[in-house]
Amino acid sequence: MTQSVVVQVGQCGNQIGCCFWDLALREHAAVNQKGIYDEAISSFFRNVDTRVVGDGGSISKGKICSLKARAVLIDMEEGVVNEILQGPLRDVFDTKQLITDISGSGNNWAVGHRVFGSLYQDQILEKLRKSAEHCDCLQCFFIIHSMGGGTGSGLGTFLLKMLEDEFPEVYRFVTSIYPSGEDDVITSPYNSILAMKELNEHADCVLPIDNQSLFDIISKIDLMVNSGKLGTTVKPKSLVTSSSGALKTRHKKPFDAMNNIVANLLLNLTSSARFEGSLNMDLNEISMNLVPFPQLHYLVSSLTPLYTLTDVNIPPRRLDQMFSDAFSKDHQLLRADPKHSLYLACALMVRGNVQISDVRRNIERLKPSLQFVSWNQEGWKTSLCSIPPVGHSHSLLALANNTCVKPTFMELKERFMRLYKKKAHLHHYLQVEGMEESCFTEAVSSLSALIQEYNQLDATKNMPVQDLPRLSIAIILSSENISPGSLQFL
C-alpha cells in the first residue's frame, strides 16, 4: 500500500486541509466500524503508540495508539493552525508537524517565497523528511494552497521546488485556489502570476479551483434549498458535509461550504488509494494518462452530484444524469465550459455500486458531444472504487485536461497587466532582497507561453491529421527523446 503526505500552506490551505481530515476520518470510521488500523487508513494516517515507558521499564496504561495525519501544516500566521489544535482534530496532529510564525506575509509573494522560504527552509525540509520516513512507500505529496495571498502563493510554491530537489521520484499534486476578480487582496494578481511560474516549472499536476466558481455553486444550492426544489428536510448531522466543529467558528461562514467542496474533491481523488475497487486508479496513473505534455498539467475538475455536498435530504439522481452533469459548466470547479473546448484526455473516478458497463455506456453516449484532440480520440481513463461517499449510493469526479483553462489564465494576465502598467504596489515587492522587476517580466512571459500552447492546440480543432502544425510542445518533447505517439492512454 502506498502512502501520501498532505502539505497545507497558508490560511486557505489549512482550512481546506482541516475539512479534508475531518471528512476522511468519518469516512474511514463508517467503513471500518471495528476500528482496526488497516491498509486503507495507513494511506493517509499512521498509527502511533502513545504509551509512556517509565524509569523502571513499566508501560503506562491508557490509550494504546493514536492516529496521526500524514501532514505538514505551515502558516506564517498562527491563527488557523491554533484553531485546529484547539478543535476536535487536535489529537490528529502534533507540534512536530507544524511550522508557524506570527507576522504573516502581508499578502506579498516575495515575503512568503524569498523571506520566509529562506528562513524556514531547513525546518520545512526536516518535517518533510520525517513525514517521508514514516511512509513505507511514499507516492505523492499533496500541496493545498491559495494563489492570491502571500504565504500560500509564495511559501507554497517555494516548497514545490524543495520537494522536486529532495524527492524527485515522488509526485507533486497541487490544489491551487485562484482568486476571483472581486478579490479583496489588491495585490493578488501579482501573487498569482509569480506563483504560476513556479507551478509551471515544478508541479506534476495542478488542480486549479476558482473561488468565484465555488461561491456560485454554493449560491445555487442555497437558492434551490430556499425555493424548496431540493426538499425541505435538512439532515441534522450529515456525514458527507464537514462538521462545523472542525474549526472553532461561532457562525458558519460561506467559505466553510466552499472549502468543503474542495475537501470532497480530494476525498474522491484519493478514494482509489484508500479503498478497494474493481478498477482502481493509482495516483501516478493520473499524471501518466492525463498529462501528455509536461507544461500542460492543469486539470479541470467537476463533482457530481453536487447535492451530496449539502445537508439536504433528496432522492438520488439517475446515474446517467450524474455523468451528464460532470460535463456541464455548472458543475466545474473552475469557471469553464469543457464541452466547447478541446480535450487532451479525461478521467472518470466513480465511487459506489456502479458497473463498468454503466461507465462505458455513458462514455459512448457523451463522446459525440465532446471534442478530443485528433491524436487521442480514445483518451479516457476510468476508476471504479466500491466504497461510495458516506450515506450515498455513488459519486463521480471528472478530471479533464482541457483547453478551457485558458480563459482563466488570460483573465489573470489581464488583471496583472492593469496593475503592472501603473507600477502600482510594485515597491512592496522590490524592497524584498533578491526581488527585481525582471521577476515579474519572466513570470508573465511564462504565463504567456502557456497560453500560447493552448492557443496552438485550439487552432487544431477540426483540422485533418495531415494538416496539423508541428506544435512547440511537440518540439520540446522531441528534444527530450519523447514521442507523443509513445504515450499510452487507456
Side-chain angles (χ1 to χ4, degrees), residues 281-327:
M281 186 191 302
D282 218 14
L283 289 168
N284 63 350
E285 293 182 74
I286 296 174
S287 180
M288 290 292 292
N289 287 271
L290 265 65
V291 184
F293 305 115
Q295 303 96 313
L296 307 185
H297 53 240
Y298 294 86
L299 306 181
V300 182
S301 53
S302 64
L303 281 173
T304 178
L306 275 174
Y307 60 72
T308 61
L309 306 178
T310 70
D311 291 330
V312 183
N313 275 318
I314 58 175
R317 303 185 74 176
R318 290 184 298 111
L319 185 65
D320 288 5
Q321 184 63 47
M322 182 179 76
F323 282 88
S324 297
D325 288 344
F327 294 90

mmCIF file of all heavy atoms in Angstrom, residues 281-327:
data_model
loop_
_atom_site.group_PDB
_atom_site.id
_atom_site.type_symbol
_atom_site.label_atom_id
_atom_site.label_comp_id
_atom_site.label_asym_id
_atom_site.label_seq_id
_atom_site.Cartn_x
_atom_site.Cartn_y
_atom_site.Cartn_z
ATOM 1 N N MET A 281 -7.571 3.360 -9.657
ATOM 2 C CA MET A 281 -6.652 4.215 -10.397
ATOM 3 C C MET A 281 -5.575 4.736 -9.445
ATOM 4 O O MET A 281 -5.876 5.467 -8.510
ATOM 5 C CB MET A 281 -7.385 5.404 -11.040
ATOM 6 C CG MET A 281 -6.489 6.244 -11.947
ATOM 7 S SD MET A 281 -7.261 7.813 -12.456
ATOM 8 C CE MET A 281 -8.746 7.235 -13.252
ATOM 9 N N ASP A 282 -4.354 4.333 -9.696
ATOM 10 C CA ASP A 282 -3.244 4.821 -8.899
ATOM 11 C C ASP A 282 -3.027 6.302 -9.199
ATOM 12 O O ASP A 282 -3.280 6.770 -10.309
ATOM 13 C CB ASP A 282 -1.978 4.033 -9.233
ATOM 14 C CG ASP A 282 -1.130 3.768 -8.018
ATOM 15 O OD1 ASP A 282 -1.623 3.941 -6.891
ATOM 16 O OD2 ASP A 282 0.030 3.391 -8.197
ATOM 17 N N LEU A 283 -2.522 7.031 -8.206
ATOM 18 C CA LEU A 283 -2.329 8.460 -8.403
ATOM 19 C C LEU A 283 -1.334 8.754 -9.517
ATOM 20 O O LEU A 283 -1.489 9.733 -10.250
ATOM 21 C CB LEU A 283 -1.869 9.111 -7.092
ATOM 22 C CG LEU A 283 -2.941 9.191 -5.997
ATOM 23 C CD1 LEU A 283 -2.308 9.567 -4.666
ATOM 24 C CD2 LEU A 283 -4.025 10.185 -6.384
ATOM 25 N N ASN A 284 -0.325 7.902 -9.663
ATOM 26 C CA ASN A 284 0.636 8.154 -10.734
ATOM 27 C C ASN A 284 0.016 7.942 -12.113
ATOM 28 O O ASN A 284 0.485 8.495 -13.104
ATOM 29 C CB ASN A 284 1.884 7.272 -10.564
ATOM 30 C CG ASN A 284 1.582 5.792 -10.649
ATOM 31 O OD1 ASN A 284 0.421 5.390 -10.649
ATOM 32 N ND2 ASN A 284 2.617 4.980 -10.705
ATOM 33 N N GLU A 285 -1.073 7.168 -12.179
ATOM 34 C CA GLU A 285 -1.754 6.960 -13.454
ATOM 35 C C GLU A 285 -2.444 8.228 -13.938
ATOM 36 O O GLU A 285 -2.637 8.415 -15.141
ATOM 37 C CB GLU A 285 -2.774 5.831 -13.334
ATOM 38 C CG GLU A 285 -2.169 4.464 -13.100
ATOM 39 C CD GLU A 285 -3.229 3.379 -13.042
ATOM 40 O OE1 GLU A 285 -3.772 3.037 -14.114
ATOM 41 O OE2 GLU A 285 -3.513 2.883 -11.947
ATOM 42 N N ILE A 286 -2.819 9.099 -13.002
ATOM 43 C CA ILE A 286 -3.447 10.359 -13.393
ATOM 44 C C ILE A 286 -2.455 11.196 -14.183
ATOM 45 O O ILE A 286 -2.763 11.699 -15.274
ATOM 46 C CB ILE A 286 -3.945 11.123 -12.151
ATOM 47 C CG1 ILE A 286 -5.039 10.332 -11.451
ATOM 48 C CG2 ILE A 286 -4.436 12.522 -12.533
ATOM 49 C CD1 ILE A 286 -5.496 10.943 -10.139
ATOM 50 N N SER A 287 -1.264 11.338 -13.655
ATOM 51 C CA SER A 287 -0.238 12.101 -14.360
ATOM 52 C C SER A 287 0.167 11.411 -15.660
ATOM 53 O O SER A 287 0.320 12.065 -16.703
ATOM 54 C CB SER A 287 0.980 12.279 -13.455
ATOM 55 O OG SER A 287 1.989 13.010 -14.104
ATOM 56 N N MET A 288 0.323 10.105 -15.627
ATOM 57 C CA MET A 288 0.764 9.369 -16.814
ATOM 58 C C MET A 288 -0.249 9.455 -17.952
ATOM 59 O O MET A 288 0.113 9.526 -19.121
ATOM 60 C CB MET A 288 1.007 7.897 -16.453
ATOM 61 C CG MET A 288 2.219 7.659 -15.568
ATOM 62 S SD MET A 288 3.766 7.990 -16.426
ATOM 63 C CE MET A 288 3.774 6.662 -17.625
ATOM 64 N N ASN A 289 -1.531 9.429 -17.614
ATOM 65 C CA ASN A 289 -2.569 9.352 -18.639
ATOM 66 C C ASN A 289 -3.205 10.682 -19.006
ATOM 67 O O ASN A 289 -3.757 10.816 -20.088
ATOM 68 C CB ASN A 289 -3.672 8.387 -18.186
ATOM 69 C CG ASN A 289 -3.239 6.941 -18.237
ATOM 70 O OD1 ASN A 289 -3.380 6.272 -19.254
ATOM 71 N ND2 ASN A 289 -2.677 6.453 -17.144
ATOM 72 N N LEU A 290 -3.129 11.645 -18.113
ATOM 73 C CA LEU A 290 -3.805 12.915 -18.369
ATOM 74 C C LEU A 290 -2.869 14.054 -18.737
ATOM 75 O O LEU A 290 -3.333 15.140 -19.087
ATOM 76 C CB LEU A 290 -4.647 13.331 -17.147
ATOM 77 C CG LEU A 290 -6.130 12.933 -17.191
ATOM 78 C CD1 LEU A 290 -6.245 11.415 -17.172
ATOM 79 C CD2 LEU A 290 -6.894 13.526 -16.024
ATOM 80 N N VAL A 291 -1.565 13.840 -18.641
ATOM 81 C CA VAL A 291 -0.609 14.913 -18.943
ATOM 82 C C VAL A 291 0.303 14.457 -20.077
ATOM 83 O O VAL A 291 1.400 13.950 -19.838
ATOM 84 C CB VAL A 291 0.209 15.296 -17.688
ATOM 85 C CG1 VAL A 291 1.130 16.467 -17.980
ATOM 86 C CG2 VAL A 291 -0.723 15.634 -16.527
ATOM 87 N N PRO A 292 -0.118 14.612 -21.332
ATOM 88 C CA PRO A 292 0.716 14.174 -22.456
ATOM 89 C C PRO A 292 1.921 15.075 -22.695
ATOM 90 O O PRO A 292 2.915 14.636 -23.270
ATOM 91 C CB PRO A 292 -0.245 14.219 -23.645
ATOM 92 C CG PRO A 292 -1.280 15.211 -23.263
ATOM 93 C CD PRO A 292 -1.435 15.095 -21.778
ATOM 94 N N PHE A 293 1.841 16.348 -22.290
ATOM 95 C CA PHE A 293 2.951 17.290 -22.422
ATOM 96 C C PHE A 293 3.248 17.888 -21.059
ATOM 97 O O PHE A 293 2.327 18.317 -20.356
ATOM 98 C CB PHE A 293 2.616 18.397 -23.415
ATOM 99 C CG PHE A 293 2.201 17.888 -24.769
ATOM 100 C CD1 PHE A 293 0.909 18.098 -25.235
ATOM 101 C CD2 PHE A 293 3.093 17.197 -25.564
ATOM 102 C CE1 PHE A 293 0.526 17.635 -26.470
ATOM 103 C CE2 PHE A 293 2.711 16.716 -26.805
ATOM 104 C CZ PHE A 293 1.423 16.937 -27.267
ATOM 105 N N PRO A 294 4.514 17.944 -20.651
ATOM 106 C CA PRO A 294 4.843 18.350 -19.282
ATOM 107 C C PRO A 294 4.268 19.695 -18.864
ATOM 108 O O PRO A 294 3.825 19.847 -17.731
ATOM 109 C CB PRO A 294 6.383 18.392 -19.298
ATOM 110 C CG PRO A 294 6.786 17.467 -20.385
ATOM 111 C CD PRO A 294 5.717 17.568 -21.427
ATOM 112 N N GLN A 295 4.252 20.681 -19.789
ATOM 113 C CA GLN A 295 3.769 22.008 -19.387
ATOM 114 C C GLN A 295 2.265 22.036 -19.148
ATOM 115 O O GLN A 295 1.778 22.803 -18.324
ATOM 116 C CB GLN A 295 4.091 23.048 -20.475
ATOM 117 C CG GLN A 295 5.569 23.143 -20.820
ATOM 118 C CD GLN A 295 5.894 22.287 -22.037
ATOM 119 O OE1 GLN A 295 5.485 21.121 -22.112
ATOM 120 N NE2 GLN A 295 6.632 22.846 -22.975
ATOM 121 N N LEU A 296 1.548 21.213 -19.877
ATOM 122 C CA LEU A 296 0.078 21.273 -19.831
ATOM 123 C C LEU A 296 -0.447 20.310 -18.778
ATOM 124 O O LEU A 296 -1.104 19.313 -19.080
ATOM 125 C CB LEU A 296 -0.506 20.959 -21.212
ATOM 126 C CG LEU A 296 0.055 21.801 -22.376
ATOM 127 C CD1 LEU A 296 -0.675 21.492 -23.665
ATOM 128 C CD2 LEU A 296 -0.020 23.289 -22.066
ATOM 129 N N HIS A 297 -0.149 20.620 -17.516
ATOM 130 C CA HIS A 297 -0.510 19.717 -16.420
ATOM 131 C C HIS A 297 -1.619 20.292 -15.535
ATOM 132 O O HIS A 297 -1.726 19.932 -14.363
ATOM 133 C CB HIS A 297 0.724 19.380 -15.579
ATOM 134 C CG HIS A 297 1.486 20.575 -15.086
ATOM 135 N ND1 HIS A 297 2.799 20.808 -15.412
ATOM 136 C CD2 HIS A 297 1.124 21.604 -14.288
ATOM 137 C CE1 HIS A 297 3.216 21.913 -14.830
ATOM 138 N NE2 HIS A 297 2.210 22.410 -14.133
ATOM 139 N N TYR A 298 -2.448 21.165 -16.100
ATOM 140 C CA TYR A 298 -3.562 21.767 -15.349
ATOM 141 C C TYR A 298 -4.841 20.997 -15.675
ATOM 142 O O TYR A 298 -5.242 20.898 -16.845
ATOM 143 C CB TYR A 298 -3.708 23.242 -15.709
ATOM 144 C CG TYR A 298 -2.520 24.063 -15.271
ATOM 145 C CD1 TYR A 298 -1.392 24.186 -16.090
ATOM 146 C CD2 TYR A 298 -2.495 24.685 -14.032
ATOM 147 C CE1 TYR A 298 -0.290 24.910 -15.678
ATOM 148 C CE2 TYR A 298 -1.389 25.416 -13.608
ATOM 149 C CZ TYR A 298 -0.294 25.521 -14.435
ATOM 150 O OH TYR A 298 0.805 26.241 -14.014
ATOM 151 N N LEU A 299 -5.476 20.425 -14.636
ATOM 152 C CA LEU A 299 -6.644 19.565 -14.823
ATOM 153 C C LEU A 299 -7.896 20.223 -14.259
ATOM 154 O O LEU A 299 -7.925 20.618 -13.089
ATOM 155 C CB LEU A 299 -6.415 18.212 -14.138
ATOM 156 C CG LEU A 299 -5.129 17.462 -14.526
ATOM 157 C CD1 LEU A 299 -5.051 16.139 -13.776
ATOM 158 C CD2 LEU A 299 -5.044 17.242 -16.034
ATOM 159 N N VAL A 300 -8.914 20.326 -15.091
ATOM 160 C CA VAL A 300 -10.188 20.901 -14.674
ATOM 161 C C VAL A 300 -11.014 19.816 -14.001
ATOM 162 O O VAL A 300 -11.141 18.704 -14.525
ATOM 163 C CB VAL A 300 -10.951 21.474 -15.885
ATOM 164 C CG1 VAL A 300 -12.257 22.115 -15.434
ATOM 165 C CG2 VAL A 300 -10.094 22.503 -16.613
ATOM 166 N N SER A 301 -11.563 20.127 -12.836
ATOM 167 C CA SER A 301 -12.291 19.124 -12.058
ATOM 168 C C SER A 301 -13.764 19.473 -11.941
ATOM 169 O O SER A 301 -14.154 20.646 -11.931
ATOM 170 C CB SER A 301 -11.679 18.991 -10.653
ATOM 171 O OG SER A 301 -11.598 20.262 -10.034
ATOM 172 N N SER A 302 -14.589 18.445 -11.845
ATOM 173 C CA SER A 302 -16.022 18.622 -11.592
ATOM 174 C C SER A 302 -16.501 17.505 -10.678
ATOM 175 O O SER A 302 -16.023 16.373 -10.768
ATOM 176 C CB SER A 302 -16.829 18.623 -12.896
ATOM 177 O OG SER A 302 -16.733 17.363 -13.543
ATOM 178 N N LEU A 303 -17.429 17.837 -9.801
ATOM 179 C CA LEU A 303 -18.012 16.888 -8.856
ATOM 180 C C LEU A 303 -19.498 16.749 -9.114
ATOM 181 O O LEU A 303 -20.181 17.731 -9.396
ATOM 182 C CB LEU A 303 -17.814 17.374 -7.415
ATOM 183 C CG LEU A 303 -16.453 17.159 -6.757
ATOM 184 C CD1 LEU A 303 -16.427 17.862 -5.417
ATOM 185 C CD2 LEU A 303 -16.163 15.679 -6.577
ATOM 186 N N THR A 304 -19.975 15.538 -8.989
ATOM 187 C CA THR A 304 -21.408 15.315 -9.144
ATOM 188 C C THR A 304 -21.785 14.043 -8.385
ATOM 189 O O THR A 304 -20.970 13.121 -8.304
ATOM 190 C CB THR A 304 -21.785 15.187 -10.647
ATOM 191 O OG1 THR A 304 -23.177 14.926 -10.779
ATOM 192 C CG2 THR A 304 -21.017 14.083 -11.336
ATOM 193 N N PRO A 305 -22.966 13.964 -7.803
ATOM 194 C CA PRO A 305 -23.984 15.018 -7.705
ATOM 195 C C PRO A 305 -23.565 16.073 -6.668
ATOM 196 O O PRO A 305 -23.036 15.722 -5.619
ATOM 197 C CB PRO A 305 -25.240 14.280 -7.225
ATOM 198 C CG PRO A 305 -24.935 12.814 -7.349
ATOM 199 C CD PRO A 305 -23.452 12.693 -7.244
ATOM 200 N N LEU A 306 -23.826 17.323 -6.965
ATOM 201 C CA LEU A 306 -23.398 18.392 -6.065
ATOM 202 C C LEU A 306 -24.231 18.443 -4.792
ATOM 203 O O LEU A 306 -23.791 18.992 -3.793
ATOM 204 C CB LEU A 306 -23.476 19.746 -6.775
ATOM 205 C CG LEU A 306 -22.244 20.101 -7.603
ATOM 206 C CD1 LEU A 306 -22.476 21.371 -8.380
ATOM 207 C CD2 LEU A 306 -21.019 20.233 -6.719
ATOM 208 N N TYR A 307 -25.423 17.865 -4.816
ATOM 209 C CA TYR A 307 -26.214 17.938 -3.590
ATOM 210 C C TYR A 307 -25.620 17.081 -2.484
ATOM 211 O O TYR A 307 -25.987 17.209 -1.332
ATOM 212 C CB TYR A 307 -27.668 17.544 -3.836
ATOM 213 C CG TYR A 307 -27.882 16.136 -4.355
ATOM 214 C CD1 TYR A 307 -27.697 15.019 -3.535
ATOM 215 C CD2 TYR A 307 -28.268 15.911 -5.664
ATOM 216 C CE1 TYR A 307 -27.879 13.742 -4.009
ATOM 217 C CE2 TYR A 307 -28.456 14.630 -6.149
ATOM 218 C CZ TYR A 307 -28.263 13.552 -5.314
ATOM 219 O OH TYR A 307 -28.446 12.277 -5.796
ATOM 220 N N THR A 308 -24.673 16.196 -2.825
ATOM 221 C CA THR A 308 -24.023 15.423 -1.764
ATOM 222 C C THR A 308 -23.123 16.302 -0.908
ATOM 223 O O THR A 308 -22.629 15.875 0.121
ATOM 224 C CB THR A 308 -23.161 14.289 -2.341
ATOM 225 O OG1 THR A 308 -22.137 14.843 -3.159
ATOM 226 C CG2 THR A 308 -23.986 13.325 -3.144
ATOM 227 N N LEU A 309 -22.933 17.543 -1.356
ATOM 228 C CA LEU A 309 -22.105 18.462 -0.588
ATOM 229 C C LEU A 309 -22.944 19.298 0.364
ATOM 230 O O LEU A 309 -22.441 20.170 1.054
ATOM 231 C CB LEU A 309 -21.335 19.384 -1.534
ATOM 232 C CG LEU A 309 -20.518 18.658 -2.596
ATOM 233 C CD1 LEU A 309 -19.840 19.650 -3.513
ATOM 234 C CD2 LEU A 309 -19.473 17.766 -1.956
ATOM 235 N N THR A 310 -24.246 19.086 0.383
ATOM 236 C CA THR A 310 -25.126 19.822 1.279
ATOM 237 C C THR A 310 -25.781 18.859 2.257
ATOM 238 O O THR A 310 -25.608 17.652 2.186
ATOM 239 C CB THR A 310 -26.225 20.559 0.485
ATOM 240 O OG1 THR A 310 -27.145 19.590 -0.050
ATOM 241 C CG2 THR A 310 -25.639 21.361 -0.659
ATOM 242 N N ASP A 311 -26.578 19.400 3.155
ATOM 243 C CA ASP A 311 -27.244 18.581 4.171
ATOM 244 C C ASP A 311 -28.694 18.258 3.802
ATOM 245 O O ASP A 311 -29.496 17.935 4.659
ATOM 246 C CB ASP A 311 -27.244 19.322 5.509
ATOM 247 C CG ASP A 311 -25.844 19.410 6.088
ATOM 248 O OD1 ASP A 311 -25.029 18.522 5.849
ATOM 249 O OD2 ASP A 311 -25.594 20.393 6.780
ATOM 250 N N VAL A 312 -29.028 18.372 2.546
ATOM 251 C CA VAL A 312 -30.431 18.271 2.159
ATOM 252 C C VAL A 312 -30.816 16.821 1.841
ATOM 253 O O VAL A 312 -30.091 16.113 1.144
ATOM 254 C CB VAL A 312 -30.712 19.162 0.940
ATOM 255 C CG1 VAL A 312 -32.187 19.125 0.589
ATOM 256 C CG2 VAL A 312 -30.286 20.591 1.232
ATOM 257 N N ASN A 313 -31.945 16.390 2.357
ATOM 258 C CA ASN A 313 -32.463 15.048 2.083
ATOM 259 C C ASN A 313 -33.238 15.051 0.776
ATOM 260 O O ASN A 313 -34.334 15.619 0.690
ATOM 261 C CB ASN A 313 -33.411 14.606 3.205
ATOM 262 C CG ASN A 313 -32.656 14.002 4.368
ATOM 263 O OD1 ASN A 313 -31.720 13.241 4.180
ATOM 264 N ND2 ASN A 313 -33.056 14.351 5.577
ATOM 265 N N ILE A 314 -32.700 14.466 -0.275
ATOM 266 C CA ILE A 314 -33.432 14.310 -1.525
ATOM 267 C C ILE A 314 -33.086 12.957 -2.113
ATOM 268 O O ILE A 314 -32.037 12.390 -1.823
ATOM 269 C CB ILE A 314 -33.120 15.423 -2.552
ATOM 270 C CG1 ILE A 314 -31.610 15.448 -2.863
ATOM 271 C CG2 ILE A 314 -33.571 16.769 -2.079
ATOM 272 C CD1 ILE A 314 -31.256 16.420 -3.949
ATOM 273 N N PRO A 315 -33.943 12.416 -2.945
ATOM 274 C CA PRO A 315 -33.647 11.110 -3.547
ATOM 275 C C PRO A 315 -32.483 11.218 -4.509
ATOM 276 O O PRO A 315 -32.267 12.264 -5.131
ATOM 277 C CB PRO A 315 -34.944 10.756 -4.285
ATOM 278 C CG PRO A 315 -35.607 12.068 -4.532
ATOM 279 C CD PRO A 315 -35.251 12.922 -3.371
ATOM 280 N N PRO A 316 -31.694 10.148 -4.664
ATOM 281 C CA PRO A 316 -30.540 10.195 -5.567
ATOM 282 C C PRO A 316 -30.967 10.396 -7.018
ATOM 283 O O PRO A 316 -32.000 9.874 -7.459
ATOM 284 C CB PRO A 316 -29.883 8.827 -5.366
ATOM 285 C CG PRO A 316 -30.955 7.955 -4.826
ATOM 286 C CD PRO A 316 -31.832 8.844 -4.005
ATOM 287 N N ARG A 317 -30.160 11.151 -7.753
ATOM 288 C CA ARG A 317 -30.450 11.385 -9.160
ATOM 289 C C ARG A 317 -30.093 10.139 -9.964
ATOM 290 O O ARG A 317 -29.325 9.286 -9.544
ATOM 291 C CB ARG A 317 -29.660 12.587 -9.658
ATOM 292 C CG ARG A 317 -29.928 13.844 -8.867
ATOM 293 C CD ARG A 317 -29.208 15.025 -9.470
ATOM 294 N NE ARG A 317 -29.866 15.457 -10.688
ATOM 295 C CZ ARG A 317 -29.487 16.518 -11.389
ATOM 296 N NH1 ARG A 317 -28.452 17.224 -10.988
ATOM 297 N NH2 ARG A 317 -30.115 16.876 -12.475
ATOM 298 N N ARG A 318 -30.645 10.066 -11.154
ATOM 299 C CA ARG A 318 -30.346 8.932 -12.016
ATOM 300 C C ARG A 318 -28.865 8.901 -12.358
ATOM 301 O O ARG A 318 -28.211 9.933 -12.491
ATOM 302 C CB ARG A 318 -31.186 9.017 -13.290
ATOM 303 C CG ARG A 318 -32.667 8.774 -13.066
ATOM 304 C CD ARG A 318 -33.433 8.781 -14.374
ATOM 305 N NE ARG A 318 -33.350 10.068 -15.057
ATOM 306 C CZ ARG A 318 -32.695 10.277 -16.188
ATOM 307 N NH1 ARG A 318 -32.034 9.284 -16.755
ATOM 308 N NH2 ARG A 318 -32.679 11.461 -16.745
ATOM 309 N N LEU A 319 -28.333 7.701 -12.524
ATOM 310 C CA LEU A 319 -26.913 7.522 -12.771
ATOM 311 C C LEU A 319 -26.458 8.247 -14.038
ATOM 312 O O LEU A 319 -25.432 8.930 -14.045
ATOM 313 C CB LEU A 319 -26.598 6.026 -12.871
ATOM 314 C CG LEU A 319 -25.127 5.648 -13.001
ATOM 315 C CD1 LEU A 319 -24.373 6.049 -11.739
ATOM 316 C CD2 LEU A 319 -24.995 4.156 -13.245
ATOM 317 N N ASP A 320 -27.238 8.121 -15.112
ATOM 318 C CA ASP A 320 -26.853 8.759 -16.370
ATOM 319 C C ASP A 320 -26.809 10.279 -16.235
ATOM 320 O O ASP A 320 -25.975 10.936 -16.862
ATOM 321 C CB ASP A 320 -27.823 8.367 -17.485
ATOM 322 C CG ASP A 320 -27.640 6.917 -17.921
ATOM 323 O OD1 ASP A 320 -26.831 6.214 -17.291
ATOM 324 O OD2 ASP A 320 -28.317 6.492 -18.879
ATOM 325 N N GLN A 321 -27.704 10.823 -15.427
ATOM 326 C CA GLN A 321 -27.711 12.271 -15.229
ATOM 327 C C GLN A 321 -26.423 12.723 -14.533
ATOM 328 O O GLN A 321 -25.907 13.811 -14.792
ATOM 329 C CB GLN A 321 -28.936 12.683 -14.401
ATOM 330 C CG GLN A 321 -29.078 14.198 -14.227
ATOM 331 C CD GLN A 321 -29.288 14.919 -15.539
ATOM 332 O OE1 GLN A 321 -30.108 14.508 -16.355
ATOM 333 N NE2 GLN A 321 -28.532 15.988 -15.755
ATOM 334 N N MET A 322 -25.911 11.881 -13.650
ATOM 335 C CA MET A 322 -24.670 12.197 -12.958
ATOM 336 C C MET A 322 -23.531 12.381 -13.948
ATOM 337 O O MET A 322 -22.724 13.319 -13.835
ATOM 338 C CB MET A 322 -24.337 11.088 -11.955
ATOM 339 C CG MET A 322 -23.088 11.329 -11.142
ATOM 340 S SD MET A 322 -22.755 9.996 -9.953
ATOM 341 C CE MET A 322 -22.118 8.728 -11.056
ATOM 342 N N PHE A 323 -23.455 11.506 -14.945
ATOM 343 C CA PHE A 323 -22.409 11.631 -15.957
ATOM 344 C C PHE A 323 -22.617 12.868 -16.822
ATOM 345 O O PHE A 323 -21.646 13.555 -17.175
ATOM 346 C CB PHE A 323 -22.364 10.371 -16.828
ATOM 347 C CG PHE A 323 -21.689 9.207 -16.173
ATOM 348 C CD1 PHE A 323 -22.412 8.327 -15.379
ATOM 349 C CD2 PHE A 323 -20.331 8.995 -16.322
ATOM 350 C CE1 PHE A 323 -21.797 7.248 -14.758
ATOM 351 C CE2 PHE A 323 -19.698 7.914 -15.708
ATOM 352 C CZ PHE A 323 -20.434 7.039 -14.918
ATOM 353 N N SER A 324 -23.844 13.167 -17.151
ATOM 354 C CA SER A 324 -24.118 14.374 -17.943
ATOM 355 C C SER A 324 -23.711 15.626 -17.182
ATOM 356 O O SER A 324 -23.109 16.548 -17.739
ATOM 357 C CB SER A 324 -25.609 14.443 -18.314
ATOM 358 O OG SER A 324 -25.986 13.359 -19.126
ATOM 359 N N ASP A 325 -24.047 15.653 -15.885
ATOM 360 C CA ASP A 325 -23.709 16.818 -15.064
ATOM 361 C C ASP A 325 -22.205 17.048 -14.986
ATOM 362 O O ASP A 325 -21.740 18.191 -14.927
ATOM 363 C CB ASP A 325 -24.270 16.642 -13.650
ATOM 364 C CG ASP A 325 -25.781 16.785 -13.591
ATOM 365 O OD1 ASP A 325 -26.357 17.303 -14.563
ATOM 366 O OD2 ASP A 325 -26.374 16.373 -12.576
ATOM 367 N N ALA A 326 -21.437 15.963 -14.980
ATOM 368 C CA ALA A 326 -19.990 16.092 -14.834
ATOM 369 C C ALA A 326 -19.355 16.884 -15.965
ATOM 370 O O ALA A 326 -18.273 17.452 -15.801
ATOM 371 C CB ALA A 326 -19.351 14.701 -14.758
ATOM 372 N N PHE A 327 -20.045 16.964 -17.108
ATOM 373 C CA PHE A 327 -19.502 17.691 -18.255
ATOM 374 C C PHE A 327 -20.206 19.023 -18.490
ATOM 375 O O PHE A 327 -19.901 19.715 -19.466
ATOM 376 C CB PHE A 327 -19.583 16.811 -19.511
ATOM 377 C CG PHE A 327 -18.700 15.599 -19.431
ATOM 378 C CD1 PHE A 327 -19.172 14.409 -18.898
ATOM 379 C CD2 PHE A 327 -17.379 15.654 -19.853
ATOM 380 C CE1 PHE A 327 -18.356 13.288 -18.801
ATOM 381 C CE2 PHE A 327 -16.558 14.547 -19.759
ATOM 382 C CZ PHE A 327 -17.047 13.362 -19.238
#
